[in-house]
Amino acid sequence: MIPMSFINPLSDEGKQIVRKDGGDLNRIFDENDMLIETVSSIKSQDISDDAYIPRNYVDLVIKRIEWYVEKKSDLKYNFKKFAFLFDAKITKFDVISFYILCQAVGVKFGPNSRESRAIVELQGQLIENRLEELITSERTEITEQIMNNLILQDKIKWTQLADLISSKKISMQDLVLKDGNVILDFEDYLEEFKDEVMHRQPEKMYNLLIGNRVKELIIIKMIMQNTENYIKSVHEQMSTVEPNPTLLKIAGEISEVLSKEIRYYGSGSGDGDVKASPLNVDLLPPCIKHALDGIKSGGRNEVIVLFLTPFLSYARLYPSVFRSNTSLKVSDVDADLKITKNEILPMIHDAADRCSPPLFDDQPQEKVNINAKLGFGMHSELKLQHEGETTWYTPMSCEKVKLNMPGLCKPDETCKGITNPLSYYNRNMRTK
């Protein structure tokens, strides 16, 4: 049986482990023979390099972050290097490292930081991957056990998941509802929808619509939400006491490893990607130069909000987006939003002011729409706590520009073979 705390370290079982074995911050840098022996004994673990084996609790914290960064960013990600993270033998050490990680981030960075969001996302991905590694019977059993532990009632009202829905961790479309109840079990599904599914293979319909998929989704998102809440509670406690210097030191190491993710995306891999750097206006494509001069006729909204905003933000912060084929948030590549606020937004607003009439004179709400296209929701200011409420739009293709904004497209020689204005800019940046 898989320990519940291997999937949910915030369970009572996990808290008991911490109370019993994990309270001494003065010893978490000490070499831990039992940890080394446990990891080394895992058959699928690569032990060809001592650096792959965590030697103490802090080392294990850092390995967790390295796994997250490398899996997300490195095309040469090596599973065997981190196989120990998916073996329940490490449960005790894993639970303690989870609490150290959350406390370090909570103490130094707080719940609205890039580091906090990365840790919450890391925990969600770790749970998802651990469940995938289990055989079906174990996976079903542990999911049911955790579900019963997190939600004590037989019937779950959708309002009990309101926090997950409002934070967009779960969509209402993921759920099957009847009279406000979330349907999770086959017996309940059959009882509530027997007339609709009587002649349509009800078990197959249930597995298609609900099955383990929805249950796993709910427990993963609930544990992510609880992780976020725990980091917030640690941060609030720190307002009345002096931060522990050991946790501050670990927080610094965590931030340094997470910054590698930025380097992966923002700086390119050296094999042809373009580095994130201040925009070179001379190398921009004709359509962007035209947009920066302001639109003198119709279509101001589309050009400024839908076309110019995504292009300038990606060209400045994440020019290799299409080559990397991985979605990021603005704060992943501009942690304190200084570049976005001091370089990108002024360029967009200046272009809006050059329109005739100036865009914001009669449509000031478009400033909010620009923020929304950067991924910060429908708010008048860019704030990290709102990031993720909307999607950071990627730059529009040349085909869409020709279709929707034909007046912008005045191709030059470099445009030949180009399918996106960002590719034009990247090509010029490589050859300048």
Side-chain angles (χ1 to χ4, degrees):
M1 177 65 189
I2 300 298
M4 184 186 292
S5 53
F6 186 57
I7 304 298
N8 182 16
L10 290 161
S11 63
D12 289 342
E13 182 184 289
K15 292 173 184 173
Q16 286 176 10
I17 290 174
V18 175
R19 279 195 289 269
K20 183 180 178 184
D21 298 308
D24 191 352
L25 287 176
N26 295 319
R27 301 191 60 187
I28 57 178
F29 284 95
D30 293 350
E31 187 156 301
N32 189 318
D33 293 337
M34 193 176 293
L35 169 63
I36 296 169
E37 185 179 331
T38 302
V39 172
S40 301
S41 70
I42 294 171
K43 290 182 179 176
S44 53
Q45 175 64 35
D46 185 347
I47 56 173
S48 62
D49 188 331
D50 284 347
Y52 296 164
I53 311 297
R55 310 197 77 78
N56 55 46
Y57 282 119
V58 177
D59 218 7
L60 186 54
V61 168
I62 300 303
K63 292 292 181 199
R64 275 172 160 258
I65 310 289
E66 288 177 348
W67 168 78
Y68 169 75
V69 170
E70 291 191 25
K71 188 172 189 299
K72 189 175 180 182
S73 317
D74 189 353
L75 296 176
K76 298 177 181 176
Y77 163 71
N78 176 10
F79 171 82
K80 290 185 176 181
K81 185 176 164 185
F82 299 99
F84 65 90
L85 287 174
F86 306 95
D87 194 306
K89 287 180 184 174
I90 69 157
T91 297
K92 184 184 82 170
F93 310 106
D94 181 72
V95 168
I96 293 171
S97 74
F98 166 84
Y99 280 89
I100 295 171
L101 175 58
C102 290
Q103 288 182 18
V105 169
V107 164
K108 182 161 185 177
F109 303 111
N112 296 319
S113 63
R114 179 178 67 91
E115 288 78 7
S116 174
R117 286 186 286 104
I119 299 315
V120 172
E121 186 178 318
L122 178 162
Q123 192 60 26
Q125 291 183 8
L126 199 57
I127 298 169
E128 185 177 349
N129 285 194
R130 284 176 175 174
L131 290 172
E132 288 172 355
E133 290 295 315
L134 301 176
I135 60 175
T136 303
S137 59
E138 286 181 328
R139 186 169 176 169
T140 302
E141 186 178 6
I142 193 66
T143 300
E144 290 285 349
Q145 189 181 3
I146 293 174
M147 178 69 80
N148 293 335
N149 185 258
L150 289 171
I151 303 174
L152 300 178
Q153 300 95 325
D154 290 336
K155 297 285 187 183
I156 306 171
K157 290 285 186 185
W158 76 267
T159 49
Q160 292 175 259
L161 306 177
D163 286 348
L164 300 180
I165 294 168
S166 63
S167 63
K168 301 186 186 303
K169 289 186 173 69
I170 284 183
S171 165
M172 290 288 278
Q173 295 177 345
D174 294 322
L175 307 174
V176 174
L177 303 176
K178 184 70 174 181
D179 299 329
N181 292 318
V182 181
I183 305 300
L184 292 174
D185 294 325
F186 179 63
E187 292 75 17
D188 293 337
Y189 175 75
L190 202 58
E191 181 182 337
E192 299 291 354
F193 298 100
K194 58 186 175 186
D195 294 337
E196 289 92 332
V197 300
M198 186 180 299
H199 304 294
R200 301 174 61 186
Q201 298 179 298
E203 190 164 355
K204 187 174 181 180
M205 292 289 292
Y206 166 78
N207 286 326
L208 184 66
L209 294 172
I210 305 172
N212 278 341
R213 180 186 62 83
V214 174
K215 293 179 183 177
E216 288 181 5
L217 178 67
I218 290 175
I219 67 165
I220 290 170
K221 300 301 182 182
M222 289 189 79
I223 295 170
M224 289 173 69
Q225 184 65 56
N226 291 343
T227 302
E228 187 176 321
N229 294 342
Y230 179 64
I231 292 173
K232 183 179 179 183
S233 71
V234 170
H235 186 68
E236 289 171 349
Q237 290 169 20
M238 286 305 105
S239 63
T240 57
V241 298
E242 190 72 20
N244 185 294
T246 300
L247 291 175
L248 290 176
K249 180 181 179 183
I250 296 169
E253 292 185 32
I254 291 168
S255 184
E256 186 177 339
V257 178
L258 281 173
S259 69
K260 291 179 181 175
E261 182 186 12
I262 297 174
R263 289 199 288 273
Y264 274 121
Y265 292 113
S267 300
S269 60
D271 61 356
D273 285 354
V274 174
K275 296 179 179 179
S277 60
L279 288 168
N280 187 330
V281 177
D282 293 336
L283 303 181
L284 294 171
C287 52
I288 296 296
K289 290 179 178 175
H290 188 170
L292 286 172
D293 286 340
I295 301 304
K296 311 304 180 190
S297 55
R300 293 172 302 160
N301 315 58
E302 292 81 0
V303 171
I304 300 299
V305 178
L306 299 177
F307 175 64
L308 195 58
T309 298
F311 176 89
L312 291 178
S313 55
Y314 276 94
R316 173 64 182 92
L317 298 173
Y318 185 20
S320 61
V321 54
F322 297 125
R323 189 183 185 94
S324 299
N325 195 29
T326 301
S327 297
L328 293 180
K329 295 175 182 175
V330 166
S331 66
D332 288 330
V333 284
D334 182 17
D336 53 12
L337 306 183
K338 282 185 179 176
I339 297 173
T340 307
K341 291 178 179 177
N342 298 331
E343 296 182 33
I344 298 168
L345 279 180
M347 287 184 75
I348 298 169
H349 289 184
D350 285 350
D353 288 340
R354 292 190 193 99
C355 291
S356 181
L359 179 61
F360 302 142
D361 282 3
D362 58 330
Q363 300 185 54
Q365 76 280 3
E366 292 297 15
K367 286 186 177 179
V368 172
N369 283 330
I370 287 169
N371 292 344
K373 298 300 176 285
L374 292 168
F376 291 87
M378 300 298 288
H379 300 280
S380 58
E381 293 183 40
L382 297 187
K383 292 186 176 178
L384 285 172
Q385 60 260 42
H386 298 311
E387 192 173 26
E389 293 182 11
T390 49
T391 301
W392 184 14
Y393 269 40
T394 51
M396 191 178 293
S397 68
C398 294
E399 186 179 348
K400 286 187 178 178
V401 175
K402 290 176 187 174
L403 183 65
N404 300 309
M405 308 163 192
L408 283 182
C409 187
K410 308 292 183 188
D412 62 14
E413 281 299 309
T414 308
C415 288
K416 289 179 181 177
I418 290 291
T419 58
N420 191 291
L422 186 60
S423 303
Y424 179 112
Y425 181 67
N426 286 342
R427 178 186 287 182
N428 276 348
M429 288 291 284
R430 289 190 198 99
T431 58
K432 70 177 179 178

